[in-house]
Amino acid sequence: MLMLPDFRVRQRDFLLEISRAMTAQLDLAEVLRLVLHASTVMLAGKVGLVALREPTDHYVIHATLGVESDHLDELNQHLDEMVGSTNWGYDREFINTKLNQMAISLDRTLRQSLFLPLVIGEEPVGLLIIFRSYWVQPTENDQQILQSFADQAAIAVHNAQLYASINHERKQLGAILDYSADGVMMLDPQLRILGFNQALARMTGWTVQDAMAQNHDNVIKWKRLERGDLQQALDDGWPFRMPKDAPLETLYVEGDLLRLDGMTLSVGITYAPLLADDGTLMNIVANVRDITNFRRAQEMQNVFISTVSHELKTPVALIKGYAGTLRREDAKWDPQVVRDSLEVIEDEADRLTALIENLLAASKLQAERMRLDIGDVHIDQLAASVVERFKTQTTKHKFELNFPSEFPVIRGDEVRLRQVLDNLVSNAIKYSPDGGTITLGGEVDDRYATIYVRDQGAGIPDRDQEQVFERFYRVDGPLSKKTKGTGLGLYLAKAVVEAHGGSIRVKSKLGNGSTFYFTIPLIIE
Ligand code: ADP
């Protein structure tokens, strides 16, 4: 054994070496190896081991000195029994028995074991055990040496755990950013980009790599800025000094972003300041949201409101005009003129009713699922009666019915299905202004009845074919501009058909007419 003060010098050197290894951020295994080496030398041990507590509360050996690897399983087993059935420090005797068993299983020449838990705060994180090949009464000094190394080892373990948990959190945060549908970027106070996620790369056209370290203004370029202005806000003292001493606030900016490829994208950006504990600005986090759909919905709603008011006003104006003319007391009307005028009044009143029904049905649909009043429906006869009614409204169009004889009776809501046919036939007339034949027909297979309405009109461009079923959607073209409509007919038709368990689709070619098909299951579950 070394004599004091050599001993003290040696201990200090070891401790220095260990703390250097810790600050050089060597991995945990290396620090544990050093601790074990130092403790074994200092205590003149022959064999040593460090076991760490796992999250499952088991102790597993992480570093050994003088232990053959085929002994490890057995040692881990002993450790489990020792730790699993005792409270630290209380059942010293049991621990000693266990340590003896370990020693025997390792090497028959071992005579003494010294052991110390590694503790951070109150929390046990591991064990340091040294075995000697001779027995002497453990001294105060032995204990103190072991303690100094155990403390170092505990700190290293704690650091490693902190590092692992920070790393884990960093990965979680990274995953959130990577999978976020919103664009996210992190800026420094000089507006340099420090972080940039995939969604933002897709929105701006910049790659993540190219965007990093760029200045914010190089990447976020506005074609048109509608609300807010980051530069202006910063010049005004955001985030610290805002008008009227407002509390620290996020900043919202909205407009059309100029992408790298020259296209534009409507976005809203929320900038949030991130402050250090002393209140200085550390970072700005920007959340970028694609608001194209929101804008489109808003635009559609605006168009809808203006068309609806127009649609409502026109029949009312006609009805009022004709009624006013008829009741003029200074005129005597020919009976034919009176009949014609009353017919216009009746037609316009019908149109108003249909429009109001559509509006009511659409607003109800938003609030609740459509309810059906199910009964037997002879859909071929229903189609014939719809045709009869529309025939009177047009002279340009011919109508054909093409249902096989003995078309099955389906289970459905007759009023709603009539509404679907009404809307499809009324569209077929509206969107074939040059006339042509309109055919209503049906087919059956073993599961579905398919009903179709075909026209020879303007057709629908490919890109609009899915969207015509959306609420308020109207094809943007000269014919729709000339033709009255609210963009609700097909939306409602789809809702009715789907409530029956069927589906609706269109087959059409621009300039070559359209066919709308809808299916109704033959047996409604
Ligand atoms: P609208 O009240 O505008 O007619 P719909 O929901 O019934 O609303 O139809 C949506 C849009 O689909 C119409 O504005 C029109 O552009 C297009 N469309 C519907 N039916 C036809 C058709 N038979 N031929 C051509 N275009 C059609």
Side-chain angles (χ1 to χ4, degrees):
M1 249 180 109
L2 288 165
M3 291 293 124
L4 291 166
D6 270 5
F7 189 86
R8 288 271 172 246
V9 172
R10 197 79 200 271
Q11 182 187 12
R12 194 204 58 202
D13 286 351
F14 272 134
L15 286 173
L16 266 178
E17 193 184 345
I18 294 166
S19 60
R20 231 181 273 130
M22 275 165 40
T23 45
Q25 294 191 326
L26 281 186
D27 64 6
L28 180 63
E30 183 63 15
V31 176
L32 294 181
R33 202 190 56 74
L34 273 173
V35 167
L36 196 54
H37 171 72
S39 340
T40 323
V41 171
M42 292 302 294
L43 293 168
K46 186 169 180 198
V47 172
L49 59 88
V50 179
L52 298 184
R53 199 176 96 184
E54 303 290 306
T56 53
D57 269 357
H58 286 284
Y59 281 71
V60 174
I61 295 172
H62 276 249
T64 57
L65 196 146
V67 177
E68 309 258 331
S69 58
D70 49 356
H71 280 115
L72 280 179
D73 282 348
E74 198 183 339
L75 284 179
N76 276 325
Q77 181 73 31
H78 281 304
L79 268 175
D80 253 359
E81 286 166 21
M82 176 169 107
V83 177
S85 53
T86 184
N87 275 331
W88 290 119
Y90 295 114
D91 200 348
R92 207 66 197 197
E93 208 158 300
F94 178 78
I95 293 177
N96 282 340
T97 321
K98 270 304 179 198
L99 285 170
N100 278 343
Q101 285 171 359
M102 279 167 124
I104 292 163
S105 75
L106 275 171
D107 179 343
R108 295 206 160 268
T109 66
L110 296 179
R111 292 282 172 274
Q112 185 177 21
S113 54
L114 301 158
F115 116 112
L116 207 67
L118 311 182
V119 181
I120 284 286
E122 303 272 284
E123 183 90 346
V125 294
L127 278 176
L128 173 61
I129 308 176
I130 305 290
F131 296 98
R132 281 174 174 157
S133 53
Y134 56 90
W135 199 94
V136 286
Q137 184 63 40
T139 63
E140 185 79 354
N141 197 38
D142 287 347
Q143 206 56 33
Q144 188 261 331
I145 293 167
L146 205 56
Q147 188 69 58
S148 65
F149 292 122
D151 287 348
Q152 295 289 72
I155 291 168
V157 171
H158 187 59
N159 284 351
Q161 283 169 346
L162 279 183
Y163 180 75
S165 83
I166 287 171
N167 209 19
H168 182 71
E169 270 173 31
R170 201 173 52 102
K171 280 195 181 140
Q172 276 180 331
L173 210 64
I176 291 173
L177 289 188
D178 279 350
Y179 297 116
S180 157
D182 283 351
V184 181
M185 75 183 148
M186 175 82 82
L187 306 171
D188 71 8
Q190 284 71 46
L191 302 191
R192 252 191 326 243
I193 297 175
L194 304 179
F196 197 82
N197 75 346
Q198 282 297 343
L200 194 50
R202 281 193 296 275
M203 287 179 190
T204 56
W206 284 74
T207 63
V208 173
Q209 211 176 5
D210 289 349
M212 291 297 242
Q214 289 281 345
N215 189 281
H216 164 275
D217 295 354
N218 288 343
V219 177
I220 303 297
K221 287 199 163 126
W222 297 104
K223 172 96 183 264
R224 194 164 59 107
L225 199 55
E226 279 182 13
R227 249 175 91 175
D229 182 340
L230 177 62
Q231 198 52 55
Q232 184 67 48
L234 287 167
D235 293 346
D236 290 345
W238 182 83
F240 300 110
R241 273 185 294 109
M242 284 304 279
K244 293 183 261 109
D245 275 336
L248 207 58
E249 267 183 4
T250 56
L251 176 73
Y252 184 71
V253 174
E254 187 180 301
D256 293 335
L257 192 70
L258 193 59
R259 288 169 43 95
L260 201 57
D261 59 10
M263 312 269 280
T264 56
L265 183 76
S266 304
V267 296
I269 308 186
T270 307
Y271 295 94
L274 236 161
L275 304 189
D277 287 345
D278 65 0
T280 53
L281 181 63
M282 262 196 330
N283 293 108
I284 297 170
V285 182
N287 184 287
V288 187
R289 178 158 290 187
D290 180 349
I291 56 169
T292 315
N293 285 338
F294 172 70
R295 283 266 176 94
R296 211 186 67 193
Q298 253 184 345
E299 227 161 77
M300 287 203 303
Q301 192 127 0
N302 289 344
V303 172
F304 169 75
I305 290 169
S306 69
T307 44
V308 166
S309 42
H310 174 82
E311 288 269 280
L312 287 171
K313 272 193 207 146
T314 319
V316 172
L318 276 170
I319 291 170
K320 189 171 162 54
Y322 276 89
T325 312
L326 288 182
R327 72 177 283 275
R328 270 171 64 172
E329 279 158 16
D330 57 343
K332 201 147 176 43
W333 299 111
D334 185 76
Q336 184 60 36
V337 173
V338 174
R339 253 197 313 276
D340 288 350
S341 307
L342 288 176
E343 201 178 305
V344 173
I345 291 177
E346 198 176 1
D347 282 352
E348 292 303 318
D350 280 350
R351 253 192 39 202
L352 257 184
T353 312
L355 177 67
I356 289 168
E357 260 169 26
N358 274 354
L359 286 173
L360 283 178
S363 71
K364 230 175 135 186
L365 249 192
Q366 270 199 292
E368 56 187 290
R369 261 194 62 179
M370 184 176 289
R371 250 178 298 183
L372 300 178
D373 190 2
I374 300 283
D376 284 347
V377 184
H378 296 263
I379 196 130
D380 48 349
Q381 291 170 18
L382 192 64
S385 94
V386 169
V387 165
E388 279 315 306
R389 206 165 59 77
F390 276 99
K391 254 186 190 165
T392 61
Q393 298 190 3
T394 168
T395 47
K396 279 189 193 165
H397 298 85
K398 269 181 51 198
F399 288 89
E400 267 180 22
L401 284 163
N402 189 17
F403 284 87
S405 56
E406 317 239 329
F407 198 76
V409 177
I410 58 171
R411 299 284 297 161
D413 184 327
E414 181 164 328
V415 175
R416 299 280 192 200
L417 290 172
R418 176 188 282 275
Q419 211 177 3
V420 173
L421 288 172
D422 276 350
N423 278 325
L424 294 181
V425 175
S426 128
N427 280 351
I429 297 172
K430 277 198 304 192
Y431 300 108
S432 48
D434 299 331
T437 303
I438 294 169
T439 314
L440 277 73
E443 292 154 10
V444 227
D445 60 25
D446 48 350
R447 292 176 57 208
Y448 290 99
T450 303
I451 293 95
Y452 64 86
V453 177
R454 173 172 301 140
D455 66 58
Q456 298 175 318
I460 303 171
D462 279 352
R463 61 168 190 282
D464 295 301
Q465 288 182 11
E466 288 235 338
Q467 285 159 299
V468 290
F469 297 101
E470 285 174 18
R471 200 159 53 111
F472 307 146
Y473 193 87
R474 306 196 71 214
V475 174
D476 189 10
L479 183 56
S480 308
K481 289 216 170 66
K482 272 199 297 197
T483 319
K484 292 167 187 152
T486 53
L488 283 176
L490 291 178
Y491 166 71
L492 289 171
K494 183 172 185 220
V496 172
V497 169
E498 288 180 351
H500 280 81
S503 60
I504 187 166
R505 68 196 158 88
V506 61
K507 224 162 137 180
S508 175
K509 226 170 147 199
L510 199 57
N512 258 331
S514 317
T515 309
F516 284 85
Y517 298 85
F518 65 90
T519 57
I520 302 291
L522 290 176
I523 300 152
I524 291 191
E525 278 120 45

